[in-house]
Amino acid sequence: MRESGTIWMDGGLVPWAEAKVHVLTHALHYGTGVLEGTRAYETPSGPAVFRLDDHLARLYASAKIIGMRIPFTMDELHAATVETVAANGHDACYIRHLVHAGYGEMGIAARNCPITVSIATWEWPPMLGSGVRLKTSSWRRNDPNVVPTVAKATGPYLNSVLAKREALDAGYDEAVLLNAAGYVSECTGANLFVVNGGRVSTPPSSAGALEGITQDTVERLAAGLGLETERRDLLRADLYTADEVFVCGTAAGVVPVLSVDDRDLDQDGPVTAKLVDAYAALVHGQAPDTYGWLTTVLGT
Ligand code: PMP
């Protein structure tokens, strides 16, 4: 990976190579961490972080769900994020917040491990390129009653790792996971939308999907374009017969799906194309920032 100069860790910037942990870090053994993936984009006012406060709010909500107290305020982490992006001199970057239970006590319930907070930034191209070939995974999505799927926690990502590797090994770009009941949930690191007969639908979080910040952005952009969206349960076959399918997430952006399980889809779908353009204009500060979603890093 492309290393940057520094990583923020527990209150200050440290050189990239020194941001280390002990092998008895609780989170390594039991997945006790919460994370965020955010991006800063190039804009006419310099680099700007997109929906930083919403990502931080989800980080705190995830921590609350798994019973972990973050030893910094949201304002402190907001400032630390801006400081890290600026210190690394990025025009644009991916930002990884991680809060994890560290070294101090072993055992599953261990409550006295120190909590480590880190913010790493690096330059990372879009995760899925400009078009995606999806494969339905043989792995089912985590059930919300097995692990809380609305929390963006580290442990449950093993489910995504298995599905992603299976899809790549079979020659596809990404997996789509069904939940235990057989409804479409999401991809390994992105949400999914289906456009059919003018209906724009995305699975609800009750299907095991993360409440995506890009998913929410797309819903609002669609409303601005006069398109109605709905959250509803979707079947695997709904993906095959859709007019258009697209995936969305911070790492990927908004990306058309070219095929699902080798059933070709319209890669130039008009709804997807409008949303791809609207999203790009918004994050790059080329459309009015109506919601105040862009946090400028260097000042104007
Ligand atoms: N689902 C999963 C499993 C993810 O990892 C992500 C990326 N955080 C998403 C959906 C999309 O979420 P967001 O739009 O907030 O990046």
Side-chain angles (χ1 to χ4, degrees):
M1 71 182 297
R2 187 158 171 195
E3 297 184 1
S4 306
T6 59
I7 289 178
W8 189 94
M9 208 168 170
D10 293 333
L13 293 169
V14 298
W16 179 281
E18 285 171 28
K20 290 182 180 164
V21 297
H22 193 273
V23 291
L24 292 184
T25 293
H26 194 271
L28 282 177
H29 299 252
Y30 305 116
T32 41
V34 293
L35 71 159
E36 270 306 314
T38 306
R39 275 190 188 273
Y41 297 87
E42 242 180 306
T43 77
S45 316
V49 186
F50 186 64
R51 299 194 70 169
L52 175 57
D53 291 332
D54 294 319
H55 281 280
L56 289 176
R58 189 172 63 186
L59 185 73
Y60 281 81
S62 298
K64 186 172 185 183
I65 290 169
I66 76 160
M68 187 178 251
R69 203 189 73 79
I70 300 180
F72 292 94
T73 65
M74 214 184 284
D75 284 348
E76 286 168 335
L77 293 190
H78 178 113
T81 308
V82 172
E83 182 189 357
T84 312
V85 176
N88 285 325
H90 303 294
D91 292 329
C93 65
Y94 182 82
I95 304 165
R96 169 55 52 82
H97 293 87
L98 177 68
V99 181
H100 76 266
Y103 163 54
E105 196 185 342
M106 286 309 280
I108 288 176
R111 293 182 195 279
N112 298 313
C113 296
I115 301 299
T116 286
V117 182
S118 55
I119 307 170
T121 67
W122 64 93
E123 291 171 23
W124 216 16
M127 181 178 75
L128 293 171
S130 56
V132 198
R133 287 162 308 124
L134 289 182
K135 176 173 171 33
T136 306
S137 184
S138 69
W139 297 99
R140 292 299 171 105
R141 191 40 138 186
N142 295 318
D143 185 276
N145 292 308
V146 174
V147 285
T149 49
V150 290
K152 195 167 162 59
T154 59
Y157 270 91
L158 185 55
N159 181 240
S160 282
V161 172
L162 291 169
K164 182 80 183 188
R165 288 184 176 166
E166 179 189 62
L168 293 178
D169 288 348
Y172 298 83
D173 305 311
E174 173 61 315
V176 54
L177 289 124
L178 309 181
N179 63 15
Y183 293 108
V184 175
S185 176
E186 60 177 346
C187 297
T188 66
N191 294 103
L192 178 139
F193 278 83
V194 164
V195 183
N196 211 349
R199 275 179 104 179
V200 184
S201 316
T202 186
S205 57
S206 56
L210 188 73
E211 293 265 1
I213 289 170
T214 320
Q215 183 187 38
D216 175 74
T217 304
V218 164
E219 287 170 333
R220 297 194 206 202
L221 288 172
L225 293 166
L227 297 162
E228 262 182 52
T229 57
E230 59 184 352
R231 294 197 180 194
R232 69 177 173 101
D233 280 327
L234 293 165
L235 295 165
R236 175 177 182 167
D238 291 327
L239 304 177
Y240 298 167
T241 56
D243 295 331
E244 304 171 38
V245 177
F246 64 88
V247 300
C248 69
T250 300
V254 180
V255 190
V257 172
L258 310 178
S259 63
V260 182
D261 297 334
D262 300 313
R263 276 79 167 178
D264 287 338
L265 290 163
D266 181 3
Q267 52 186 288
D268 302 311
V271 172
T272 305
K274 275 187 207 159
L275 290 166
V276 167
D277 290 348
Y279 185 73
L282 184 63
V283 298
H284 289 291
Q286 288 153 356
D289 183 15
T290 328
Y291 295 102
W293 279 340
L294 290 169
T295 300
T296 304
V297 170
L298 301 173
T300 45

